[in-house]
């Protein structure tokens, strides 16, 4: 049985060995998995917000924002010898319905778009996704097989 690494909100992890990367509580947040199957390298970030430019903190929590999380995961994987990176994403739900939906309240959609833009900028192909909707998700990436298991509240389990 592979070791399970839990990734909390705004956190990330990178591994060079067979592991299960798991994060729970993906509502409007997006789980980003970037991996090199052939080299056995894998990573996951639990992205909360689309853009680090909105941060008021002097030191930015790298895993918190789509732009910084994707950049950091790619950098660390490449330092570890990754060549053929691929990505999978899940999450980005619209958890709350507002009577007057302002663009700033559509965090899930904005997170999805920002993650996809960051992946595209890094030239990482997005090979699978399960995004949007109105329900939260828990995801597990099995690095040895490349399977992403997604448990969606009130929906069930999906594997991509």
């Amino acid at each position: 049985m592979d070791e399970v690494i839990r990734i909390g909100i705004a956190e990330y992890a990178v591994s060079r060995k067979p592991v299960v990367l798991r994060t729970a509580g993906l509502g409007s947040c997006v789980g980003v998995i970037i991996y090199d199957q052939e080299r056995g390298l894998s990573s996951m970030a639990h992205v909360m917000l689309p853009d680090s430019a909105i941060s008021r903190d002097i030191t930015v929590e790298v895993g918190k924002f789509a732009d910084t999380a994707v950049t950091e995961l790619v950098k660390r994987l490449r330092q570890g010898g990754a060549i053929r990176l691929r990505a999978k994403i899940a999450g980005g739900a619209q958890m709350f319905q507002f009577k007057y939906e302002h663009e700033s309240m559509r965090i899930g959609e904005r997170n999805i778009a920002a993650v996809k833009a960051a992946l595209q900028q890094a030239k990482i192909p997005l090979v699978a996704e399960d995004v949007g909707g109105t329900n939260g998700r828990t995801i597990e990436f099995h690095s040895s097989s490349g399977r992403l298991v997604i448990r969606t509240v009130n929906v069930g389990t999906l594997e991509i």
Side-chain angles (χ1 to χ4, degrees):
M1 184 90 167
D2 293 339
E3 174 190 1
V4 175
I5 299 175
R6 288 176 172 70
I7 292 101
I9 295 171
E11 293 180 349
Y12 68 93
V14 178
S15 181
R16 304 175 126 256
K17 60 184 181 182
V19 291
V20 175
L21 299 171
R22 177 184 295 154
T23 194
L26 288 173
S28 59
C29 296
V30 174
V32 182
I33 298 92
I34 304 175
Y35 62 102
D36 181 329
Q37 192 72 46
E38 291 80 21
R39 303 240 184 235
L41 295 159
S42 59
S43 65
M44 179 186 286
H46 186 129
V47 171
M48 257 180 87
L49 295 168
D51 189 349
S52 60
I54 65 171
S55 179
R56 293 188 189 104
D57 298 329
I58 293 168
T59 55
V60 172
E61 288 179 76
V62 172
K64 187 174 189 174
F65 303 98
D67 58 337
T68 53
V70 169
T71 300
E72 185 68 14
L73 294 181
V74 170
K75 181 180 97 178
R76 291 193 173 220
L77 290 164
R78 294 230 189 270
Q79 286 173 345
I83 296 170
R84 193 166 169 246
L85 292 174
R86 300 283 177 261
K88 295 183 179 186
I89 64 173
Q94 181 64 35
M95 298 299 292
F96 308 102
Q97 300 303 316
F98 297 96
K99 188 173 181 185
Y100 303 104
E101 235 177 77
H102 187 269
E103 181 65 25
S104 66
M105 293 297 163
R106 302 170 66 136
I107 300 292
E109 282 180 31
R110 290 173 55 221
N111 281 340
I112 294 164
V115 166
K116 287 182 175 182
L119 289 169
Q120 191 170 27
Q121 187 174 5
K123 296 180 174 45
I124 308 296
L126 178 60
V127 296
E129 65 180 87
D130 180 45
V131 295
T134 56
N135 295 299
R137 296 169 173 88
T138 293
I139 62 172
E140 285 185 350
F141 181 71
H142 298 257
S143 68
S144 53
S145 66
R147 292 180 311 123
L148 179 60
V149 178
I150 304 153
R151 290 181 190 81
T152 306
V153 177
N154 300 322
V155 175
T157 302
L158 170 69
E159 196 173 295
I160 59 174

